[in-house]
Amino acid sequence: MGKAVNVDWSKLGFGYMKTDFRYVSMWKDGQWDEGKLVEDNRLTLSEASTALHYGQQCFEGLKAYRRKDGQIQLFRPDQNAKRMNSSCRRILMPEIPEEKFVDACIQVVKANEDYVPPYGTGATLYLRPFMIGVGDNLGVKPAPEYLFCVFCVPVGPYFKGGLAPVNFTVAEYDRAAPYGTGAAKVGGNYAGSLLPHELAVKKGFADCIYLDPATHRKIEEVGAANFFGITRDDKFVTPKSPSILPSITKYSLMHIAKEYLGMEVEERDVFIDRLDEFKEAGACGTAAVITPIGGIEYKGNLHIFYSETEVGPVTRKLYDTLCGIQFGDVEAPEGWTVKVK
C-alpha cells in the first residue's frame, strides 16, 4: 500500500468520507468525452438541470474487496453496468458503454487504493457510480447534457457484531407503481421510501416490507433490498415482479444456492399470508450482502422464521459462500471477479 490514510478500519460505518479521486465524464453533442479523475468532490451545475427538477438521474452501488494476497478485486461490475444502462433507458438518458463503466470503476479504485480496507476487517471500498441530467433546460424533456461520475468511500461491515436477524413490518405505502420505475435504480424510488422507513423504525422495526402495488398480497422488496426465503424442503425462493429492482446480490445468491449448495431455486410470487412455507428468510443487497429476517409483522401479528436471535444455517451458508467469493477465498464462477491490478 502507498501512503498511510488516517482511517480506523474497525470503526467504519456506512457514511460519507472524502477520498482522493473521483471519475467524471460529460455527455454532450451526442457523445461521451474521455473522462478523467479529479480531486474536487463538488459538482457545479446549471440551476435548470433536469436532475434537480424532474428526477432525471440514476445510480449504482458496488464494492472493491481486498483479498488475502493483498490484491484488489471488483465483484461483477459488468452487471452493474448493464443495470445502469437499463435505468438510463427507462428515463431517457444516454447509455454508458460497459467497458467505460468498468474502466471508470477500476481507475477510481486504483487512484484510491490506500482507502481499500485490509483483508480480514470485513470492511470494503464502496463505489457509487451515478448519472445526472444537466444543462439549461426548462421543459419536461430529456436534458441536453449528462454527467457520469464514480466516487468511492470505505465502509464497514454492515453487522458490527456479526450476522444478526432483524424484524420488519409491512408498509401501508407502495414503493413503486405497476409498470412504473420500480425496476430502475432511480432516486425517486428512494425519496418515496424515506417516510415509510421512518414510520417502521419508530415502531421498533429495522425497515418496512413493500407489497406489490397492484394487489397488496405479495412481497416485493424489503426496504431497499430484495427478499428471499428458504422453504421447509430447502428451496431458495425469491419474488418475481416487474417492479422489483433486479439485485445483483440476489442473482448471485440464486446461482450459489443452485450450483454451490445444490438447492432448487424458484423466482415466483411470495404471498404475505403464506409466510409459514419458509423456515428461514432474508433480505439481500450490496450493502449488507444478507440481512437475516427474524420476523415480519403483518396486520398486528409477528411471524417468526428461524429465530429472532440466531441466524438460520442455510442463510449463514449462503452468506459465507458469497462473501468468500467476493474476498477471493472461494473460487468464483467464470467472469464474476475483476482484478484491479
Side-chain angles (χ1 to χ4, degrees), residues 255-263 321 325 330-334 336:
H255 181 90
I256 287 166
K258 186 166 183 265
E259 303 299 333
Y260 286 64
L261 307 185
M263 299 170 69
T321 309
I325 290 169
V330 172
E331 194 172 336
E334 185 73 32
W336 274 27

Side-chain angles (χ1 to χ4, degrees), residues 56-59 84 87-88 91 93 129-131 185-186:
Q56 203 187 20
Q57 56 85 271
C58 67
F59 68 99
M84 185 164 212
S87 297
C88 288
I91 55 173
M93 298 203 293
F130 66 97
M131 194 187 299
K185 201 165 172 66
V186 295

Side-chain angles (χ1 to χ4, degrees), residues 129-199:
F130 66 97
M131 194 187 299
I132 58 174
V134 296
D136 300 327
N137 196 58
L138 198 57
V140 182
K141 58 180 188 287
E145 296 174 9
Y146 295 86
L147 192 61
F148 170 67
C149 301
V150 183
F151 68 87
C152 68
V153 181
V155 297
Y158 196 84
F159 297 102
K160 282 282 182 272
L163 204 58
V166 291
N167 292 345
F168 294 86
T169 183
V170 174
E172 291 173 13
Y173 290 84
D174 287 334
R175 178 189 154 270
Y179 309 105
T181 56
K185 201 165 172 66
V186 295
N189 295 347
Y190 294 81
S193 74
L194 296 175
L195 175 63
H197 169 79
E198 188 175 272
L199 295 172

